[in-house]
Amino acid sequence: IIKSFFLPEPGILQDAKEHGRLLTGRDPRGLAAAAIYIASILTDNRATQREIAAAAGVTEVTVRNRYKEFVRELEITPSPPSN
């Protein structure tokens, strides 16, 4: 789905890990899917929640819920970089 990303370190999942409660009790596939969805937005290499959910083997609702949690708790601004 996504060919390549350039994201600043440490990355979305590392930030979530440091945040603690974002990962506890969550399916890793849903976490990864949300991180990919956010990365697709940030890099302007967009993929739909449906495409990512299908590739990860989770529901669109899972992608959407994890996305909302990451954006809120990690204070991510979901817009592509301006040129």
Side-chain angles (χ1 to χ4, degrees):
I1 294 172
I2 306 299
K3 294 183 180 174
S4 65
F5 293 116
F6 173 76
L7 295 175
E9 291 300 324
I12 298 164
L13 290 175
Q14 183 63 37
D15 289 347
K17 180 180 176 187
E18 291 170 6
H19 205 274
R21 69 177 183 258
L22 283 175
L23 303 183
T24 304
R26 303 288 199 265
D27 182 344
R29 296 174 304 162
L31 298 170
I36 291 169
Y37 182 63
I38 292 168
S40 79
I41 294 169
L42 295 176
T43 61
D44 201 24
N45 187 7
R46 293 179 185 254
T48 66
Q49 290 177 1
R50 177 175 289 166
E51 291 170 326
I52 293 170
V58 297
T59 67
E60 292 174 61
V61 172
T62 297
V63 175
R64 187 166 33 260
N65 288 342
R66 297 300 83 80
Y67 163 80
K68 288 178 183 178
E69 291 169 359
F70 282 177
V71 167
R72 180 182 62 243
E73 297 296 326
L74 301 177
E75 299 178 0
I76 295 170
T77 304
S79 60
S82 57
N83 293 333

